[in-house]
Amino acid sequence: MKFRRLALALACSCAALAAAVPAAAQTPKDQLLVPPADAQKLVIISAAGQHGTSFLWRGADGSYVSRESMLLRGMVWEQDETIHVDGAGRIDKVVVRGVTPAGDAAETFAIESGRARWKSQLDAGDVADDGVRQYSTAGGTWSSNATFAELLYKAPGKRISLLPGGEARLTHLVDVPVGSGATAKTVSAWAVEGVGMEPSPILLNADGSFFGFVGVMAILPEAYTGDFLRLQKAQDDALAARGPANYAKFGKVSPVPVAFTHVKLFDSINGAWLDDQTVVADAGRIAAVGPAASVKVPANAKVIDGTGKTLTPGIWDAHMHVGSDLQGLMLLSLGETSARNPGADVAPTIERSARIARHELVFPTVYSSVLIDGKGPLQAQGGVTVSSPEEAVAAVRMAKDKGFAAVKFYTSMKPEWLYPAIAEAHRLGLHVHGHIPATLRPTDVIAHGYDEITHINFVMMQAMPDSVVNVSNGLARWQGPGKYAQNVDLSAEPFKSLIPLMAAKKITVDPTISTFEQLYLVANGELTPAYVPYMGTVPPAVERSFRSGGDMPPPGTTRDDYRRSYAKMVELVKRLHDAGVPIVAGTDGYGVEIIRELEIYIQAGMTPAQALQTATIAPARLVGADKATGSITVGKEADLVLVDGDPSKNIGDMRHTVWVMSDGALMNADELREAAGFSGRPK
């Protein structure tokens, strides 16, 4: 069951996790199954357009068979999957074949001689079959979720115990009319819970048979693709009904002053650590800050003893793609009180912002950008696609009209579309950031008005050969730097000129270096350092997904090439920082990676204070919110995090949140973790 990838949540794993096993040779596309003429056709789409196709049919022995092809921003999936279900309604055999961006898709499962055995890209297992648990795959086709959803619908209590671990539950959300005329009918949206950190919607027909899936991306029958936005809104609204109860529990401003006494305080403006301080928050604002011996604590205050603990401004994730309302609880539990959503689906983002404004939703403060990309086979999912200068300018105006703070351009924008759109964005007062489109380098987009470059690989693109730059809207955007960055001399041209230019113009960089640690350093089955502290605190399904590896190096490039190039990118982050280029910390992940991002900055040579500034005052300045938040200053909003430990010595202590205050709402971090699906504190 692959609901993590479908819902942009997290998916499936095992307490009896075996060591990663060598993959078999990939099954090439021309040897995969060919759908029969009567197979059901589904299309894979997002708000930006179509990205692939999937076919479902029944094999000669009654097996459920799927065949799927997808092209997403240059990444290719070609897979088939066969699932056999025995007479008792249990999956007793699974075979997955094909190719994914991480390598071989091969996965097998079988129940034989009383044993359940599996071998995937991530793990292998061999346990006694208990006659109850259903196997949940690590990979495979998206549409094969149809089989699992139908079995879950029929299961007693609509609950299934899973192999390798965990339990899936099915909860009804809402009925939605779709189609028109001869195709008109009503489908039901259900939430699959227990598999990831948040519910994953699935769509079923009235008889419990699979209809499709809608999230940021969707898989739907071709005749119903026009219902994508309607289904998305209906699901989001149904899940949003859970928000008011969470707001009632967590979101209200403390009715009395809150005093954090005897804390170590992080002064983000000066990059200093101050011992034995007391901070008082009242009515959503910081009312007093100073030495514990001199700050008067109000008589009616709630006093939180901070001895042995550290108080910092609320953390920012400067690159967090928001996918659901329930994400807010997880982000807040991590101490993240603010975030940038750099590339948001327009309609869901507007709806979510309205719920926050109506006090129906507990969520960090989010600053969102509209993603704009050029139409074509490598276009980004979500966002807005354009195919002319006029359409690009119109997309920028739409972003302004709908209240977005910024626009983010993507890699398939042609220069003749991009440049007038940048000019219009600046005319309207919007922040301009993004990837660097194919054929262009950093100096090109800086000359035409970029305020910020997103991802460190695109800064490195200045030194890449034309053979990489000219096709950097595909896999070359990371495979090129992965191959060539290792040999770049950062002290010589072009960086000898580029880095001072970026510093002089204050071009911000959002490195997301932790993303490249996962992309370059680990293979399938290996655990990325960002996730190690959370092992044992998340559902088994999520733990398994944490072992999903990064990119499979292409022919002519090795994993060691990737590792050496990653080290050069880490060095580049430090050189940019030392030169005065503003750095903001973002993850492009699930949020749990944010402290790992800071750990890497420190490995590169930043001090803990400098690293923490990139996740507090620096992003606040970037969005123009530094007069209201980003530091512990009298009069500012009470966005605060109390952690158990001393991040001035070990930045990893920032994971050990005890109390979180967001706009004056005081939240117990352990209660937030429990509500978000964690079983305990990270290590």
Side-chain angles (χ1 to χ4, degrees):
M1 187 164 58
K2 285 73 61 176
F3 290 106
R4 167 202 178 236
R5 291 181 293 133
L6 287 171
L8 302 183
L10 299 163
C12 315
S13 187
C14 154
L17 201 61
V21 291
Q26 299 174 22
T27 303
K29 178 180 177 180
D30 60 4
Q31 294 180 26
L32 295 176
L33 297 171
V34 177
D38 60 349
Q40 179 188 9
K41 181 181 179 181
L42 303 167
V43 293
I44 302 169
I45 62 171
S46 74
Q50 184 171 334
H51 305 283
T53 57
S54 190
F55 293 88
L56 295 171
W57 70 96
R58 297 294 287 272
D61 64 350
S63 293
Y64 297 82
V65 187
S66 56
R67 169 72 175 92
E68 200 160 86
S69 299
M70 184 169 66
L71 174 63
L72 185 62
R73 296 173 294 150
M75 296 177 288
V76 174
W77 286 260
E78 293 286 354
Q79 300 178 91
D80 63 27
E81 183 168 352
T82 303
I83 303 173
H84 187 268
V85 177
D86 66 17
R90 289 190 70 216
I91 296 172
D92 61 3
K93 186 176 182 180
V94 178
V95 177
V96 179
R97 307 184 304 163
V99 180
T100 75
D104 187 16
E107 182 170 1
T108 58
F109 168 78
I111 298 175
E112 298 172 334
S113 304
R115 306 292 297 180
R117 298 181 176 92
W118 66 92
K119 180 179 179 181
S120 78
Q121 326 93 299
L122 308 181
D123 58 11
D126 183 337
V127 299
D129 177 37
D130 62 5
V132 175
R133 292 187 290 173
Q134 297 271 24
Y135 181 67
S136 178
T137 57
T141 65
W142 284 13
S143 54
S144 65
N145 282 302
T147 306
F148 203 100
E150 291 172 7
L151 293 174
L152 186 53
Y153 179 84
K154 296 173 184 176
K158 294 184 168 46
R159 305 169 80 98
I160 290 178
S161 295
L162 302 176
L163 268 177
E167 180 187 73
R169 307 179 301 278
L170 195 65
T171 305
H172 182 261
L173 291 177
V174 64
D175 297 329
V176 188
V178 294
S180 61
T183 64
K185 63 177 179 177
T186 297
V187 299
S188 295
W190 297 75
V192 179
E193 305 193 62
V195 177
M197 295 297 291
E198 54 190 87
S200 299
I202 199 81
L203 298 166
L204 302 179
N205 293 304
D207 62 356
S209 61
F210 178 74
F211 175 76
F213 161 87
V214 170
V216 175
M217 294 181 66
I219 186 163
L220 291 169
E222 199 163 22
Y224 295 93
T225 56
D227 293 296
F228 170 52
L229 293 179
R230 179 194 305 178
L231 288 162
Q232 186 183 64
K233 185 177 188 306
Q235 289 179 168
D236 286 352
D237 288 348
L239 287 169
R242 305 179 182 192
N246 287 325
Y247 187 86
K249 181 174 182 179
F250 295 111
K252 294 183 178 179
V253 174
S254 175
V256 299
V258 177
F260 299 91
T261 62
H262 302 289
V263 298
K264 172 170 278 193
L265 183 146
F266 177 58
D267 175 358
S268 62
I269 293 177
N270 296 303
W273 305 92
L274 306 177
D275 290 328
D276 198 23
Q277 301 287 297
T278 287
V279 175
V280 179
D282 190 15
R285 296 279 172 177
I286 297 170
V289 181
S294 61
V295 172
K296 184 177 180 180
V297 175
N300 64 334
K302 176 181 176 64
V303 177
I304 297 173
D305 182 7
T307 303
K309 299 178 177 62
T310 302
L311 190 71
T312 76
I315 297 299
W316 288 65
D317 188 329
H319 197 127
M320 164 51 58
H321 292 286
V322 176
S324 80
D325 284 8
L326 297 177
Q327 209 170 348
L329 292 172
M330 179 186 71
L331 296 176
L332 287 165
S333 78
L334 302 168
E336 298 179 26
T337 61
S338 302
R340 289 196 313 160
N341 185 4
D345 273 354
V346 175
T349 299
I350 293 172
E351 293 282 347
R352 187 172 298 111
S353 297
R355 289 192 285 274
I356 294 171
R358 293 194 300 264
H359 303 297
E360 297 173 357
L361 180 61
V362 181
F363 218 89
T365 301
V366 179
Y367 300 82
S368 295
S369 310
V370 170
L371 186 152
I372 303 172
D373 199 13
K375 191 173 183 62
L378 301 181
Q379 68 194 30
Q381 76 275 23
V384 179
T385 55
V386 300
S387 54
S388 70
E390 293 76 18
E391 289 182 4
V393 168
V396 170
R397 291 173 179 165
M398 178 275 294
K400 177 67 174 181
D401 291 344
K402 292 187 179 295
F404 286 80
V407 289
K408 176 185 177 183
F409 294 110
Y410 217 74
T411 47
S412 288
M413 287 290 290
K414 293 182 178 179
E416 60 266 30
W417 307 343
L418 176 69
Y419 296 153
I422 293 173
E424 182 67 6
H426 280 305
R427 188 185 73 82
L428 296 173
L430 296 175
H431 179 73
V432 176
H433 63 140
H435 295 200
I436 297 177
T439 75
L440 302 178
R441 290 180 166 84
T443 48
D444 297 312
V445 297
I446 291 170
H448 284 86
Y450 261 40
D451 302 307
E452 175 189 355
I453 295 173
T454 300
H455 305 302
I456 194 64
N457 62 311
F458 284 111
V459 182
M460 186 62 76
M461 202 63 69
Q462 187 70 34
M464 294 298 101
D466 289 346
S467 60
V468 170
V469 172
N470 290 340
V471 292
S472 58
N473 57 334
L475 300 184
R477 67 185 181 276
W478 67 72
Q479 290 183 347
K483 179 176 183 177
Y484 294 108
Q486 60 184 315
N487 297 318
V488 172
D489 183 350
L490 297 176
S491 301
E493 296 294 354
F495 287 103
K496 185 177 180 180
S497 298
L498 176 64
I499 293 175
L501 172 68
M502 294 177 69
K505 289 182 171 290
K506 295 299 180 186
I507 305 300
T508 300
V509 175
D510 167 21
T512 65
I513 192 67
S514 56
T515 298
F516 292 92
E517 181 178 53
Q518 180 174 16
L519 188 68
Y520 288 151
L521 298 196
V522 302
N524 271 335
E526 297 175 349
L527 189 61
T528 305
Y531 302 131
V532 171
Y534 297 93
M535 297 298 281
T537 73
V538 295
V542 177
E543 286 196 2
R544 194 184 200 186
S545 72
F546 282 167
R547 295 186 180 274
S548 298
D551 182 56
M552 180 181 67
T557 306
T558 67
R559 182 68 64 187
D560 283 342
D561 290 330
Y562 270 9
R563 289 169 176 152
R564 287 188 291 267
S565 290
Y566 167 77
K568 190 60 65 77
M569 291 185 186
V570 171
E571 180 187 347
L572 178 56
V573 172
K574 179 59 163 52
R575 284 178 178 263
L576 290 166
H577 175 267
D578 288 348
V581 175
I583 302 292
V584 292
T587 64
D588 200 15
Y590 302 106
V592 298
E593 306 91 344
I594 187 63
I595 305 306
R596 181 59 187 167
E597 184 81 10
L598 304 187
E599 288 175 334
I600 298 171
Y601 295 172
I602 292 169
Q603 289 175 4
M606 289 189 197
T607 67
Q610 290 170 337
L612 195 50
Q613 285 176 312
T614 71
T616 52
I617 193 63
R621 286 172 176 155
L622 180 63
V623 304
D626 54 305
K627 301 300 183 186
T629 189
S631 68
I632 302 176
T633 304
V634 172
K636 286 192 177 183
E637 295 168 1
D639 295 333
L640 303 166
V641 182
L642 185 69
V643 300
D644 189 5
D646 186 354
S648 72
K649 296 182 173 63
N650 177 19
I651 199 70
D653 285 348
M654 287 300 301
R655 297 186 181 93
H656 304 154
T657 53
V658 181
W659 290 97
V660 179
M661 186 171 267
S662 181
D663 291 339
L666 181 66
M667 295 167 272
N668 180 280
D670 289 327
E671 293 178 359
L672 281 169
R673 273 186 278 268
E674 182 180 5
F678 294 101
S679 62
R681 295 184 182 183
K683 301 179 183 66

